[in-house]
């Protein structure tokens, strides 16, 4: 019964709004834009944060990534030395693993540019000398074969794991697992193929599409620590190939729990500062990206949210303005209803329902406009946007609220009209 | 024409005492009239307005009893207090002092909601300018009191059709008031005023906007209603029109000048 009355009251409200279609539509327009902008702006913030989340998923949220960095100063110091020693040391890896209780494990990696060859086919590979634990920290989908094991490692086996794209280039049309490929001047047996997720962003992913993973001890044994810089075409003066002396290019540190990540990173920094004269390393904390993204999102939500909020406010004031005019216009009707026996609160209800219908229909249209705007932002500015259901629910809720807040004053004014005066109104 | 009043009175509306107990406050002062037929009682009713600093006594002590089934005309020169009196009788306003007793309640003691309730349950209004809501159809206008009474759609549609038939507007139910002649509009307004089967029908110059032929029709309708037992109080300044009533009250300067043909 009660529900039936509400339905009837709402349908009466809609009917009365339809008497002035253009006016009702123009009144709604404010709400449409307000809600549309709330939804699209929240979608930009959400998009940024989901992008960061995705990046962190690729990097590992409990990980700290240390990289060797060659300092620009060395390069520019007149005649570049033919042998530049820099970067992370085997000792660093040992120290971090053994002295820091919050560290679960570390995965050292050595990067060696080398040519991969199979018959006529060749490609530039990045040989990654690492431990089997690499695959635990940089967890990627395995496509064929198996991963490097401790048995391979301890046996110093000449095995390699290729990425999907590497396998496609090098092994195209051939048997994959068990295939022998040449890397540099050595031969390796392909034992597995995994997916790679090469990605940029604020922190590059540890893996690349051109990686070939081999045991670190094998890499040390066969390639040593002197790494030819670049390819043969970038030969230095005197036809000598410039070389870097680098022990480790990367150490991925896995921390026991996410809470310890930032403290551990600070501790590692202190430790490295003590043992390295120059800052020939870089510390990346993927989790910090998340914090940054969250802070950005918060700021974004506040700033854009207030702009959108002002939009809603303007929409609400527009509705109030029109409703006040409507009340004046319908003074006589109000008088008639009161004379017949309508109570004040029934008059309030009547007008309130009209404003709420106006604002929520405006909100609904805005909920259609919002995703469209988000799509527009995404295609024209290349910003990731994600329209979440809750943002739509939130803005619909807000639009109903705006209807009530800005409708209540005109409605009360209508209800407080003196019935006798109202009936005399022309 | 003889059938339609039965139709109205047959509708089992609020058995008077029943809604009184549920809607009206138990403790509100009730007046038990000595005579069951004393429907409306005015006791030394005053109504004054402030015009700037000056007090205008629109009604300056009116005492009168309107009996059930009577048909009154209220007459008097302009400014004599006719409209003020009708507004009071219609529970649109409260007396400044004195007592107005309707349905056993002292109207001066009731708050706005209860006044509305009383208008809704016990009174029907007919205005000089019809006062139909322009945006609503004839049927919706007639159904308006039933809507506030909480009737369901089907029942109130049936009732509206009965009433429209009664006033000869069954062909006009879906029309807007602006599509009707003045006489038709006033008949629609009468149908609306009767929808709640009021104990008193109040009319303020009901023929003021109508030509004489149509006026006669409307007045005959009122006479017919009265002959079926409906209590009617009508304000007019024309003696010709007052002649249709069975009793006549003459006001002058807010007091009763004389009373003719009291039942
Ligand atoms: N709302 C009001 N405010 C001030 N004075 C009023 C008001 N209503 C009526 N009056 C005054 O009360 C007196 C009676 O008015 P009214 O009842 O309208 O007379 P009638 O209907 O007989 O012409 C008049 O002097 C009028 O000016
Ligand atoms: Mg008057």
């Amino acid at each position: 019964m009660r529900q039936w009355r509400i339905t009837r009251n709402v349908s009466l409200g809609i009917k009365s709004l339809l008497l002035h279609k253009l006016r009702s539509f123009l009144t709604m327009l404010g709400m449409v834009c307000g809600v549309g902008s709330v939804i699209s702006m929240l979608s930009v913030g959400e998009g940024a944060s989901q992008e960061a989340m995705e990046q962190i998923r690729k990097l590992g949220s409990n990980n700290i990534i240390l990289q060797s960095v060659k300092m620009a100063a060395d390069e520019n110091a007149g005649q570049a030395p033919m042998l530049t020693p820099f970067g992370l040391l085997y000792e660093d890896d040992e120290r971090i693993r053994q002295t820091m209780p919050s560290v679960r494990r570390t995965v050292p990696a050595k990067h060696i540019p080398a040519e991969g060859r199979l018959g006529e086919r060749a490609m530039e590979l990045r040989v990654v000398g690492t431990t089997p634990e690499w695959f635990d920290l940089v967890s990627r989908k395995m496509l064929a074969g198996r991963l490097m094991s401790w048995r391979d490692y301890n046996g110093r086996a000449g095995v390699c794991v290729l990425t999907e794209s590497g396998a496609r280039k090098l092994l195209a049309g051939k048997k994959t697992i068990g295939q022998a490929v040449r890397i540099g001047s050595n031969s390796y047996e392909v034992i597995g193929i995994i997916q790679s997720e090469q990605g940029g962003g604020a922190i590059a992913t540890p893996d690349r599409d051109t990686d070939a993973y081999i045991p670190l001890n094998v890499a040390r044994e066969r390639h040593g620590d002197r790494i030819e810089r670049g390819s043969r075409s970038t030969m230095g003066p005197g036809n000598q190939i410039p070389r870097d002396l680098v022990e480790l290019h990367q150490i991925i540190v896995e921390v026991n729990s996410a809470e310890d990540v930032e403290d551990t990173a600070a501790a590692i920094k202190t430790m490295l500062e003590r043992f390295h004269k120059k800052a020939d390393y870089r510390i990346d904390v993927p989790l910090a990206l998340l914090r940054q993204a969250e802070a950005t999102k918060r700021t974004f939500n506040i700033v854009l949210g207030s702009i959108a909020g002002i939009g809603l406010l303007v929409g609400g004031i527009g509705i109030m303005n029109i409703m006040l005019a409507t009340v004046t216009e319908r003074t006589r009707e109000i008088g008639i209803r009161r004379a017949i026996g309508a109570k004040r609160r029934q008059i309030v209800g009547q007008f309130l329902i009209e404003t709420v219908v106006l604002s929520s229909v405006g909100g609904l249209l805005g909920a259609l406009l919002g995703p469209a705007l988000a799509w527009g932002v995404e295609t024209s500015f290349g910003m990731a946007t994600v329209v979440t259901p809750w943002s739509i629910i939130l803005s619909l809720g807000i639009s109903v609220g705006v209807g009530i807040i800005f409708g209540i004053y005109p409605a009360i004014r209508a209800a407080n009209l003196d019935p006798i005066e109202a009936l005399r109104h022309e | 024409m003889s059938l339609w009043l039965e139709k109205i009175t047959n509708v089992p509306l609020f058995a008077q005492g029943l809604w009184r107990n549920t809607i009206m406050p138990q403790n509100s002062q009730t007046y038990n009239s000595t005579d069951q037929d004393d429907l409306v009682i005015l006791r030394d009713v005053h109504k004054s307005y402030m015009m700037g600093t000056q007090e205008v006594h629109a009604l300056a002590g009116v005492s009168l009893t309107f009996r059930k089934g009577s048909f009154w005309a209220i007459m008097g020169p302009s400014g004599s207090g006719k409209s003020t009196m009708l507004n009071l009788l219609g529970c649109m306003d409260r007396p400044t002092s004195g007592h107005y007793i309707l349905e056993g309640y002292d109207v001066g003691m009731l708050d706005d909601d209860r006044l509305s309730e009383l208008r809704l349950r016990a009174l029907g209004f007919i205005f000089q300018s019809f006062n139909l809501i322009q945006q609503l159809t004839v049927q919706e206008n007639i159904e308006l009191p039933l809507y506030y009474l909480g009737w369901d759609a089907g029942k109130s549609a049936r009732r509206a059709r009965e009433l429209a038939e009664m006033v000869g507007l069954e062909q006009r139910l879906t029309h807007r008031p602006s599509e009707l002649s003045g006489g038709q509009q006033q008949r629609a307004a009468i149908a609306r005023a009767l929808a709640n089967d009021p104990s008193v029908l109040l009319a303020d110059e009901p023929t003021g906007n109508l030509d004489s032929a149509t006026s006669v029709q409307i007045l005959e309708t009122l006479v017919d209603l009265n002959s079926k037992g409906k209590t009617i109080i009508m304000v007019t300044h024309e003696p010709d029109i007052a002649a249709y009533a069975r009793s006549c009250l003459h006001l002058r300067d807010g007091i009763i000048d004389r009373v003719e043909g009291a039942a």
Side-chain angles (χ1 to χ4, degrees):
Chain A
M1 176 69 186
R2 187 160 187 87
Q3 195 178 344
W4 174 82
R5 277 190 77 83
I6 290 171
T7 325
R8 178 154 163 203
N9 288 335
V10 168
S11 73
L12 285 174
I14 291 172
K15 222 169 116 180
S16 137
L17 292 171
L18 286 178
L19 289 173
H20 306 280
K21 289 190 191 64
L22 181 64
R23 180 207 285 180
S24 299
F25 175 73
L26 291 176
T27 310
M28 268 180 343
L29 219 50
M31 286 312 297
V32 176
C33 296
V35 167
S37 53
V38 168
I39 290 175
S40 58
M41 285 173 178
L42 289 176
S43 81
V44 173
E46 188 63 31
S49 111
Q50 289 206 4
E51 213 168 30
M53 291 296 287
E54 169 64 11
Q55 216 186 336
I56 284 151
R57 187 190 64 73
K58 284 185 194 168
L59 297 168
S61 61
N62 280 14
N63 293 352
I64 298 167
I65 299 173
L66 312 182
Q67 315 255 25
S68 294
V69 177
K70 184 150 134 195
M71 279 148 310
D74 285 351
E75 206 93 76
N76 299 336
Q79 68 269 66
M82 288 323 293
L83 195 63
T84 321
F86 68 91
L88 299 163
L89 307 170
Y90 298 115
E91 276 176 18
D92 294 331
D93 181 45
E94 284 294 311
R95 264 196 293 267
I96 290 168
R97 193 172 350 162
Q98 283 173 7
T99 64
M100 299 205 173
S102 60
V103 169
R104 181 179 294 157
R105 57 187 159 186
T106 63
V107 173
K110 188 180 204 36
H111 298 161
I112 306 142
E115 192 186 46
R117 220 169 232 299
L118 178 63
E120 293 297 291
R121 292 175 169 273
M123 73 177 283
E124 280 299 321
L125 288 174
R126 182 180 80 160
V127 177
V128 179
T130 187
T131 64
E133 284 175 329
W134 167 279
F135 302 98
D136 295 329
L137 296 200
V138 187
S139 58
R140 301 289 184 253
K141 201 170 154 198
M142 200 174 73
L143 299 171
R146 62 179 181 85
L147 299 173
M148 184 199 305
S149 67
W150 282 111
R151 183 196 288 261
D152 298 324
Y153 191 89
N154 294 330
R156 295 167 187 260
V159 294
C160 74
V161 173
L162 292 181
T163 66
E164 186 187 11
S165 61
R168 206 168 273 146
K169 270 194 191 147
L170 214 52
L171 309 177
K174 299 230 169 60
K175 180 175 80 132
T176 51
I177 305 305
Q179 182 71 255
V181 293
R182 283 202 84 72
I183 298 175
S185 49
N186 301 291
S187 174
Y188 292 86
E189 182 196 343
V190 178
I191 54 167
I193 295 169
I194 57 164
Q195 222 160 39
S196 58
E197 292 195 16
Q198 174 165 345
I203 305 174
T205 53
D207 55 335
R208 284 196 205 158
D209 292 341
T210 55
D211 281 351
Y213 304 99
I214 64 172
L216 176 60
N217 47 11
V218 175
R220 260 183 102 173
E221 206 171 77
R222 296 191 180 174
H223 298 273
D225 292 333
R226 288 161 194 243
I227 313 284
E228 289 176 7
R229 196 191 307 158
S231 66
R232 266 161 241 277
S233 58
T234 58
M235 285 185 185
N239 266 359
Q240 274 194 292
I241 301 167
R243 287 164 198 269
D244 289 335
L245 183 63
V246 178
E247 292 190 2
L248 286 174
H249 289 81
Q250 190 176 53
I251 301 173
I252 305 175
V253 179
E254 189 191 27
V255 180
N256 278 322
S257 76
E259 294 98 76
D260 295 333
V261 167
E262 272 144 338
D263 288 345
T264 309
I268 290 173
K269 185 162 184 276
T270 315
M271 172 183 284
L272 291 179
E273 274 167 359
R274 188 136 48 94
F275 292 99
H276 289 247
K277 285 199 178 62
K278 292 177 282 186
D280 51 358
Y281 54 86
R282 209 178 101 182
I283 305 175
D284 286 327
V285 184
L287 195 67
L289 281 185
L290 184 66
R291 302 242 187 285
Q292 221 173 323
E294 272 170 355
T296 311
K297 181 182 166 186
R298 245 194 319 275
T299 320
F300 207 83
N301 284 354
I302 289 170
V303 173
L304 298 186
S306 356
I307 293 171
I310 290 168
L312 284 174
L313 189 73
V314 170
I317 291 170
I319 288 181
M320 177 148 80
N321 190 18
I322 293 296
M323 288 316 287
L324 283 174
T326 304
V327 167
T328 307
E329 191 186 277
R330 290 164 68 180
T331 297
R332 187 150 186 148
E333 177 194 330
I334 295 161
I336 295 168
R337 287 177 186 270
R338 293 281 280 134
I340 282 170
K343 294 189 173 118
R344 283 203 173 120
R345 77 178 100 92
Q346 288 172 310
I347 301 292
V348 168
Q350 183 193 341
F351 281 87
L352 213 48
I353 279 171
E354 285 186 26
T355 49
V356 170
V357 166
L358 262 184
S359 67
S360 49
V361 170
L364 273 174
L365 293 179
L368 296 178
L369 179 70
L373 282 179
W375 179 82
V377 166
E378 183 154 342
T379 49
S380 49
F381 301 113
M383 292 164 97
T385 60
V386 175
V387 177
T388 53
W390 71 260
S391 76
I392 291 183
I393 292 166
L394 175 81
S395 37
L396 287 181
I398 288 175
S399 62
V400 171
V402 164
I404 291 172
I405 289 166
F406 291 95
I408 199 95
Y409 174 65
I412 285 178
R413 229 165 84 157
N416 282 344
L417 287 172
D418 173 29
I420 299 171
E421 293 290 331
L423 275 173
R424 268 205 286 263
H425 191 267
E426 282 312 311
Chain B
M1 282 290 260
S2 60
L3 261 175
W4 52 260
L5 193 74
E6 276 173 36
K7 280 184 193 159
I8 311 161
T9 42
N10 268 352
V11 175
L13 282 185
F14 22 86
Q16 302 272 334
L18 223 159
W19 68 265
R20 182 175 298 167
N21 287 338
T22 51
I23 309 295
M24 291 297 170
Q26 296 289 333
N27 57 355
S28 78
Q29 203 178 359
T30 61
Y31 285 77
N32 292 316
S33 171
T34 46
D35 191 334
Q36 282 296 311
D37 283 347
D38 289 351
L39 186 59
V40 173
I41 303 164
L42 298 176
R43 283 188 196 157
D44 194 27
V45 167
H46 289 253
K47 180 73 195 178
S48 43
Y49 297 101
M50 291 306 293
M51 288 287 278
T53 52
Q54 210 188 334
E55 204 176 10
V56 180
H57 297 278
L59 287 181
V62 172
S63 297
L64 193 72
T65 300
F66 298 84
R67 291 172 67 83
K68 204 175 196 168
S70 56
F71 184 174
W72 282 85
I74 300 177
M75 293 195 71
S78 175
S80 58
K82 302 185 296 290
S83 297
T84 304
M85 184 155 170
L86 203 75
N87 286 337
L88 283 178
L89 291 173
C91 298
M92 300 279 276
D93 212 344
R94 278 173 286 240
T96 313
S97 69
H99 298 283
Y100 162 32
I101 291 125
L102 173 66
E103 300 264 321
Y105 292 92
D106 190 343
V107 171
M109 315 294 273
L110 302 179
D111 64 12
D112 190 80
D113 270 7
R114 305 216 190 281
L115 285 183
S116 303
E117 194 74 47
L118 213 46
R119 291 197 295 271
L120 182 60
R121 309 261 173 193
L123 299 171
F125 286 94
I126 305 169
F127 304 91
Q128 177 174 358
S129 49
F130 323 133
N131 277 339
L132 297 168
I133 295 179
Q134 296 300 316
Q135 289 85 357
L136 302 183
T137 61
V138 167
Q139 171 162 358
E140 288 163 340
N141 267 290
I142 297 174
E143 285 181 26
L144 210 53
L146 306 176
Y147 165 73
Y148 286 114
L149 282 166
W151 285 32
D152 69 56
K155 202 170 144 204
S156 54
R158 275 196 299 282
R159 172 98 174 129
R161 232 170 289 123
E162 279 170 18
L163 289 160
E165 235 167 84
M166 180 191 90
V167 296
L169 285 180
E170 65 272 21
Q171 303 300 322
R172 298 281 181 271
L173 279 171
T174 56
H175 290 231
R176 309 263 163 203
S178 56
E179 295 159 2
L180 303 183
S181 70
Q184 287 173 324
Q185 288 191 53
Q186 194 60 299
R187 279 189 274 152
I190 291 173
R192 184 180 66 188
L194 292 172
N196 61 347
D197 191 20
S199 22
V200 185
L201 194 58
L202 300 167
D204 192 354
E205 307 260 13
T207 59
N209 285 7
L210 301 174
D211 61 55
S212 51
T214 320
S215 297
V216 169
Q217 276 183 14
I218 295 295
L219 288 164
E220 278 173 351
T221 305
L222 293 181
V223 167
D224 201 55
L225 277 168
N226 175 247
S227 72
K228 304 294 189 302
K230 188 64 66 187
T231 310
I232 301 175
I233 303 174
M234 172 177 75
V235 163
T236 180
H237 62 270
E238 290 179 60
D240 294 0
I241 289 165
Y244 283 85
R246 290 198 277 146
S247 318
C248 187
L249 168 70
H250 290 266
L251 287 180
R252 183 178 298 277
D253 297 332
I255 55 166
I256 298 177
D257 189 31
R258 67 198 152 88
V259 172
E260 290 171 46

